[in-house]
Amino acid sequence: GGVVSPAEREAAREAAVAASLRQEEALLRELLPQVSQLLDGLGCPAEPPPELGLWLPGYAVAGERAEGAGACVVLVEPSPPQHQRRLAARAAAGGPVEVLRRGP
């Protein structure tokens, strides 16, 4: 019960978005090294096997060979960007996970 002021509503919305981004980033940082190793073992296909969609629903996933090193680099984009899917990421087998925010 009660009334929520516009400032309280906006603060709650901002807190929800921030929590969502933290959760999404943690998930991507945990899964992408495994996905990178998996795709590297498959020859780094540009179009990963469909079952990979079960690991990262709502994301477009692609593999590409890094120039020089030959490592498989996994690229992940939200499809479409929305609440709970706003981060794009890039990871190479054994390398760091780079994260970039997409959408508003």
Side-chain angles (χ1 to χ4, degrees):
V3 176
V4 177
S5 72
E8 290 172 315
R9 186 178 312 111
E10 182 59 22
R13 188 196 69 75
E14 287 176 7
V17 168
S20 171
L21 290 171
R22 284 190 303 274
Q23 182 181 20
E24 182 181 14
E25 183 172 350
L27 175 76
L28 290 174
R29 289 191 184 280
E30 179 182 333
L31 286 180
L32 283 186
Q34 298 170 50
V35 171
S36 178
Q37 288 179 338
L38 173 70
L39 290 186
D40 194 43
L42 295 173
C44 201
E47 292 188 34
E51 57 270 13
L52 192 59
L54 298 174
W55 289 28
L56 294 164
Y59 293 89
V61 180
E64 67 179 32
R65 285 278 173 207
E67 291 184 32
C72 183
V73 177
V74 176
L75 306 168
V76 177
E77 289 282 341
S79 179
Q82 61 184 14
H83 184 68
Q84 290 279 343
R85 287 194 309 266
R86 292 186 180 190
L87 299 180
R90 180 179 189 274
V97 176
E98 301 169 12
V99 177
L100 175 69
R101 183 174 174 173
R102 298 275 194 231

